[in-house]
Each structure stands twice: as structure tokens, then as C-alpha cells.
Amino acid sequence: MQWEPVIGLEIHVQLATKSKIFSGAANRFGAAANTQACAVDLGLPGALPVTNEAVLRMAVKFGLAVDATIAKRSVFARKNYFYPDLPKGYQISQYELPIVHDGRIRIELRDGAVKEVGITRAHLEEDAGKSMHEDFPGFTGIDLNRAGTPLIEIVSEPDMRAAGEAVAYMKKIHSLVRYLEISDGNMQEGSFRCDANVSIRPKGETKLGTRTETKNINSFRFVEQAINYEIHRQIAVVEAGNEVFQETLLFDPVKNETRPMRSKEEANDYRYFPDPDLPPVVIDNAYIETIRAQLPELPEQKRRRFMDDFGLSEYDSSYLTASKDTADYFETAVAATKGEAKLIANWIMSELSAALNRDNIDINVARVTAEMLAGLVNRIADNTVSNKIARQVFGAMWRGEGSADDIIEKQGLKQVTDTGEIEKSVDEVIAESGAQLEQYRNAPPEKQGKLVGYFVGQVMKKSRGKANPKQVNQLLSAKLKNLGRG
Ligand code: ADP
Ligand code: MG
């Protein structure tokens, strides 16, 4: 039997507002416990919520960017449940009437294919507080700083068919909220996390299978692992003649497995009803159009512009615009050169990205800044250093040894372009390489080209990589040709 996985994601994005969604308390990560929760966040009797207009603007921005319908009227509802970090006994969310619905987003798959994923809805809600199990043996600490933090929950259609597609979708949404500047997207701090819904069905079947929901995954790698684990687990369950049980799971990245958290609750367990303390959100066209006019350049537009303005390939442009930070880095660097867009692009995609991966850091805190990379590329463009030496300079910049110019100066890495000096090395190498010269002389002409490589290597070694490789090649080829005849 061939099985088809079906995946839908619910992504929770913390909105980067100054204050909370329904109170004036600060919305900032990392403050001392319980110093950023006011009477509203604590759920004290009589304290009344007031909607923060900034969250509406952010939700509309998001909706417009995913080509969704913006609801002219949406309603906050109470989702009732008990948890120690939810003092009110309910979470304010949106249920029947979310602010954004019926959108779509295009994702690029690893094989280059493009796929559209439907966005069912995106609704606003408040986050709950945090239970702390670690610092208090035998007790649970409650930190209510996070209570009332604004979230937008983005619910996809069950349109994904493989873990890789789900990751591509999640990355696309992550990039988009950063572009829109509605969230910092910080996954370590929980600003961007997702629930993965997974089911399987026989290939060709159109009905959906029973799904499980793995909660609160906060890294792209874990999403991929959790979904793959779930797909294999469900196939094994069904193939053993059993049924998949609809439940809520937690992913354990250490053991790389999911495990049950609770049986799946139904919507009616929550006794949703419109929050009587909050008026419906009513939005008119003028409001939407004002926001539309202020939308920043989105990834797709930027990609086009990079191709048109910088003459980059589609591949390079896609790579550079996949994240706003990378695109900004690229543009800052190019602006500090004489239009060396292609060289800057190449350095970002090769040396820089390798260094970032190796040290596992983000481009916006790269140890070689855009200005520093531009400084290096300027020295390549004006022939001060070869590409090979430039890689050495890059390594030194990465280690914090200074700017490209400093390093080239201090380490004496300036390329030798003085023909007389290069010729001297060439002559020395030829004189020292009797055996190779003999070989060269006896080789048929079509093999001689390859043998020149040995001499080039020796000359470059002699000059500690500093001789201009083009000149070395030209000089050697000419001299050897003469000697070869003799
Ligand atoms: P809930 O809030 O109870 O989790 P939703 O209706 O909001 O329920 O659906 C949550 C997510 O589950 C959506 O992203 C949806 O695409 C996905 N989903 C629904 N049914 C399935 C299924 N059978 N297999 C995989 N994903 C599913
Ligand atoms: Mg859910």
C-alpha cells in the first residue's frame, strides 16, 4: 500500500507591539517574572480589556500580503479552559469571525517546483502566562509576563504532502512576517512556533484520515523531524491493523519522537462565546487601503527588482530575498562598491553562508558586516588581491582581525602584478623543475596544457599566492612553448 501524508500547520506569531493586546503593560521579552502584567493581564475582577489598534493594523498587513479577505467585522471570543497560567479561566481569541481568512501563499520546493498553500484563516488572540517547572522543586512557578502578549495564529489548509513542504511553508511565513515587520520571528524566545497536524491516507483517497496534532514546535529542524516521525508512526499503526487515535502530542527532540500529551479536545469543550467586554472589530475600506499603501516591498517584488536592477539570475535573486536580513545585507554591501552586485552575491552565497552555517549564527549579526564584505570585494575588483587570497582575508575578517585593507596591509597580501618580479619566479621554477620540463617536452601538444598546471602551482607557491594568476599563466605558457620547441 502507498501512503500519502497530509499536513496542515497552525503557526503562532508573536506581534511586535509596544504594549499588550488588551492592556497597556509592556510587551517585551526577558523582564523579571511578573513585572509586566497589569490588572487586565492578571484577570482581576472588574479590569476591562481594550483592544490595541496596532494588532489590527498588523493583522490587516498580513492578510493583504497573503492575498486574503479582510473581514469588515470580526469578533473576539472567549475560549474557556482552566490552567494555572491562565488566571481569567479563558483566553481571548477569535473563533467564528476571524479578522483574516481565505488567503494563499506560494512556496518553492527543493526540486524548484512552486506550490500554492491555502491559508484558511489568521486570527488574533492573547498568549497565556508561563508555568515554570524547573526552578522550584516540588512546585510550579507562574510567570504572567507573557499573559496578554498579542499573537496572530495562522491556520493553513491541509495542503502539504511532505515534511519538506511544511518546512518550506513555515520558512515562507517566517520570512514574510519579518518582511512586514510585524514580528521579530525569534524562535528561541517562542515568538514563532507551530503546531503540526499530520494524517495519512491511501494514495488516491480524497477523504482525510484521522490527524494528530504535535504542539509548540519552535525550530524548522524539529518540525521536519516531528512530522517525519509522525508519518512513519501512523503508517506503522495502520499497517499493524490498528487505527490512528486523534490526539495532541509533544515532540521530544532529544529522543526524536512524539509522545501523547492529551486526547484531542473538541471545539465545543471550550464553550466559545463572544466576549461581552469587547466590541466587535469593524474595519472599513479606507482603513484597509491606507495600510495597503504602506506595505513594504514584499519578497516577490524584491526578487524581481534584484533581477532587473542588478542583473542577477533568478536563482541568485531568490536566494538573496529569501530573508529580509539577507536582502538588506546584500543591498548595503553593493551600495558600498562600484556596482559589484554579482561579486557580492557570490560571496554571500558561498563564503559568508558557509561561515554562518558553521558557526550557526544569523546574517544580521555576522562577524563580517556588509560594509566589511564590500571592502574586500573592492580589493578584488581593483586587482589588489586574487580570489584565493580574498578567501584568506575573509577568514581573517571573520576571526576579528580587522578590515580587508588592514589585513592585506598587515599580512602583506597585496597581489604582485610587477611583470619583472613574476618573471623572476617563473624562471626560477623552470630552472628547478628539470624532470617536469623533460616530461613537458616529450608530451603530445594536447597533454602539455595540463602539465603547465604544475609550473603555475610552483610559481604561486613561491609568491605565497600573491602573484597575479593570469599573468603567471600567460608568462609560463609563453616560456614553456619556447622551451618545448627547443
Ligand atoms: P483545531 O483548532 O482543533 O486544531 P482546525 O480546524 O483549526 O482545528 O485545524 C487545525 C489544522 O489542522 C489546520 O491547519 C488544518 O489544515 C489541519 N487539518 C485538519 N484536518 C487534517 C487532517 N485530517 N490531516 C492533516 N491536517 C489536518
Ligand atoms: Mg489546533
Side-chain angles (χ1 to χ4, degrees), residues 6-10 120-121 153 155-159 197-199 208-211 213 264-265 267:
V6 174
I7 302 149
L9 298 187
E10 294 159 87
T120 319
R121 53 188 277 151
E153 177 175 339
V155 182
S156 84
E157 288 290 298
D159 283 347
N197 295 270
V198 177
S199 65
L208 291 173
T210 303
R211 71 175 150 132
E213 178 174 357
K264 173 77 186 157
E265 64 293 327

Side-chain angles (χ1 to χ4, degrees), residues 233 245 247-251 257-263:
R233 188 191 66 83
F245 181 54
E247 60 188 339
T248 303
L249 309 168
L250 275 183
F251 179 64
E257 62 182 30
T258 60
R259 57 166 182 267
M261 181 163 124
R262 54 173 188 252
S263 68

Side-chain angles (χ1 to χ4, degrees), residues 140-421:
T140 293
I142 302 290
D143 177 7
L144 291 170
N145 282 351
R146 200 178 65 179
T149 294
L151 299 177
I152 187 162
E153 177 175 339
I154 302 156
V155 182
S156 84
E157 288 290 298
D159 283 347
M160 275 94 41
R161 296 290 174 267
E165 291 185 13
V167 172
Y169 166 79
M170 193 176 169
K171 284 189 172 162
K172 198 75 194 236
I173 297 281
H174 186 259
S175 158
L176 184 60
V177 300
R178 302 267 306 139
Y179 263 95
L180 293 169
E181 295 179 343
I182 61 176
S183 175
D184 64 17
N186 188 321
M187 298 174 87
Q188 282 83 41
E189 295 177 0
S191 304
F192 191 94
R193 50 194 203 257
C194 106
D195 303 340
N197 295 270
V198 177
S199 65
I200 55 160
R201 62 186 174 190
K203 222 173 183 123
E205 171 66 64
T206 51
K207 252 181 40 218
L208 291 173
T210 303
R211 71 175 150 132
T212 60
E213 178 174 357
T214 306
K215 282 279 189 196
N216 265 330
I217 319 175
N218 69 345
S219 97
F220 297 122
R221 192 158 52 91
F222 293 165
V223 165
E224 179 147 23
Q225 288 172 355
I227 292 173
N228 278 328
Y229 177 85
E230 230 355 68
I231 292 169
H232 291 120
R233 188 191 66 83
Q234 291 184 13
I235 291 173
V237 166
V238 175
E239 288 190 342
N242 299 312
E243 275 179 31
V244 173
F245 181 54
Q246 178 162 341
E247 60 188 339
T248 303
L249 309 168
L250 275 183
F251 179 64
D252 180 340
V254 178
K255 294 194 180 136
N256 188 17
E257 62 182 30
T258 60
R259 57 166 182 267
M261 181 163 124
R262 54 173 188 252
S263 68
K264 173 77 186 157
E265 64 293 327
E266 298 289 339
N268 57 15
D269 293 334
Y270 290 121
R271 317 311 295 179
Y272 279 101
F273 67 91
D275 193 311
D277 289 341
L278 287 160
V281 177
V282 177
I283 285 175
D284 62 14
N285 274 328
Y287 186 83
I288 295 172
E289 291 316 314
T290 308
I291 293 172
R292 195 195 301 277
Q294 293 164 355
L295 280 181
E297 184 181 41
L298 296 176
E300 187 55 29
Q301 298 163 320
K302 215 187 261 294
R303 194 174 68 84
R304 289 257 162 69
R305 181 167 63 79
F306 278 18
M307 291 169 73
D308 295 345
D309 291 7
F310 298 117
L312 296 179
S313 70
E314 178 150 12
Y315 176 85
D316 291 0
S317 303
S318 298
Y319 184 102
L320 295 169
T321 55
S323 91
K324 182 166 183 295
D325 289 332
T326 306
D328 289 348
Y329 186 105
F330 168 77
E331 288 201 277
T332 308
V334 173
T337 66
K338 292 200 191 85
E340 300 294 344
K342 183 59 188 158
L343 263 180
I344 294 284
N346 288 346
W347 277 82
I348 291 176
M349 295 191 296
S350 56
E351 222 67 16
L352 179 71
S353 98
L356 293 171
N357 277 337
R358 195 183 53 234
D359 292 2
N360 193 23
I361 55 180
D362 289 334
I363 193 165
N364 54 353
V365 290
R367 280 198 282 278
V368 173
T369 63
E371 288 79 6
M372 288 166 76
L373 183 64
L376 176 59
V377 162
N378 286 334
R379 294 294 83 80
I380 302 171
D382 69 9
N383 272 321
T384 304
V385 292
S386 65
N387 254 308
K388 186 151 175 246
I389 293 288
R391 281 198 287 277
Q392 193 180 322
V393 176
F394 182 91
M397 287 200 290
W398 192 262
R399 289 189 300 273
E401 293 173 22
S403 71
D405 285 335
D406 289 347
I407 292 162
I408 292 168
E409 180 66 37
K410 251 187 291 177
Q411 302 190 16
L413 295 174
K414 226 171 141 176
Q415 179 158 257
V416 176
T417 50
D418 171 356
T419 316
E421 200 172 323

